[in-house]
Amino acid sequence: AQRVTQPEKLLSVFKGAPVELKCNYSYSGSPELFWYVQYSRQRLQLLLRHISRESIKGFTADLNKGETSFHLKKPFAQEEDSAMYYCALYTNTGNQFYFGTGTSLTVIP
Amino acid sequence: KAGVTQTPRYLIKTRGQQVTLSCSPISGHRSVSWYQQTPGQGLQFLFEYFSETQRNKGNFPGRFSGRQFSNSRSEMNVSTLELGDSALYLCASSLVRTGSYEQYFGPGTRLTVT
């Protein structure tokens, strides 16, 4: 069963515009959710995790248990935000990570 | 701390051959996971090792196998290579401790099968 869904494969926004990358999950337990980012020619790296409720590079993500969503948001997109973004769920019942299929974000100058 | 390292970084093999990829996790991390990344399929989970035991396995054929050593280093083996095995193979390590489950990725091994 698909645990993590990222409905948008490609997303383009203009520089300075708000951006939202969608992520929905399915898990009956208490989820641990993460956003990972992969810039061109760089390794996949952790962007943020819901448990720390932090803002990294202007991005935030709020866990909405009612809607089972963990959307990534940034109020003003920058060109350097262009990258591949993956949403990930960790289930401590199975000790396993589930990654979404990723969203490729392009910020148009 | 040094990050996750993977060797080799690039590999070219022919169909039918076998290949072994290596991963050294971050010091202190006991969990190592392997993923296959392709443009069409994204990240696909292969397997996860924790304390030398395979704890989880993805939906890949038996040609894909792995192991983990007592120092947490891990190897992945693919036998009888097929053209479709061409991909970036990523290794990720994790501390797996309450409040600290995030995975840290290596740069990957780019495997090309001709």
Side-chain angles (χ1 to χ4, degrees):
Chain A
Q2 185 81 10
R3 295 278 192 170
V4 180
T5 303
Q6 293 181 252
E8 304 133 333
K9 213 165 182 174
L10 303 169
L11 184 63
S12 294
V13 300
F14 285 100
K15 178 182 171 182
V19 61
E20 180 179 71
L21 290 86
K22 291 184 168 50
C23 172
N24 288 89
Y25 68 92
S26 68
Y27 179 52
S28 56
S30 187
E32 298 275 347
L33 287 151
F34 307 86
W35 277 98
Y36 281 81
V37 61
Q38 190 171 31
Y39 301 103
S40 180
R41 300 183 190 280
Q42 292 188 30
R43 69 177 69 189
L44 199 59
Q45 55 187 282
L46 178 68
L47 181 61
L48 55 79
R49 45 184 177 160
H50 93 272
I51 200 168
S52 52
R53 301 183 64 81
E54 56 202 341
S55 172
I56 303 292
K57 300 185 180 184
F59 284 98
T60 58
D62 289 319
L63 174 59
N64 185 323
K65 290 188 177 181
E67 295 183 358
T68 59
S69 68
F70 188 55
H71 303 328
L72 184 68
K73 299 176 185 178
K74 184 169 182 177
F76 307 103
Q78 303 298 316
E79 287 177 66
E80 56 265 30
D81 296 329
S82 295
M84 191 74 172
Y85 291 81
Y86 291 94
C87 181
L89 163 73
Y90 177 80
T91 63
N92 50 21
T93 49
N95 298 301
Q96 190 168 339
F97 259 86
Y98 296 89
F99 280 84
T101 48
T103 297
S104 177
L105 173 66
T106 301
V107 180
I108 305 163
Chain B
K1 270 187 183 177
V4 178
T5 58
Q6 292 185 246
T7 56
R9 292 293 310 280
Y10 302 92
L11 211 46
I12 299 175
K13 291 285 188 179
T14 55
R15 273 180 302 175
Q17 287 187 312
Q18 77 161 17
V19 67
T20 299
L21 313 181
S22 182
C23 170
S24 291
I26 291 172
S27 177
H29 286 195
R30 293 163 64 192
S31 168
V32 173
S33 297
W34 288 89
Y35 296 86
Q36 183 193 67
Q37 187 179 32
T38 56
Q41 302 288 324
L43 276 170
Q44 304 226 79
F45 173 72
L46 281 152
F47 28 67
E48 185 237 0
Y49 285 87
F50 182 82
S51 293
E52 301 178 67
T53 301
Q54 187 182 86
R55 203 161 58 163
N56 286 295
K57 190 175 190 308
N59 195 24
F60 276 80
R63 300 185 297 108
F64 292 81
S65 63
R67 59 178 176 167
Q68 187 180 33
F69 302 96
S70 57
N71 61 359
S72 293
R73 192 176 70 83
S74 177
E75 286 182 348
M76 189 191 98
N77 186 275
V78 188
S79 62
T80 321
L81 283 165
E82 301 177 359
L83 294 178
D85 297 332
S86 294
L88 182 67
Y89 289 87
L90 297 175
C91 161
S93 76
S94 178
L95 196 54
V96 192
R97 191 179 63 195
T98 302
S100 189
Y101 299 109
E102 60 269 20
Q103 293 188 327
Y104 294 87
F105 284 82
T109 294
R110 172 75 61 187
L111 173 64
T112 302
V113 182
T114 61

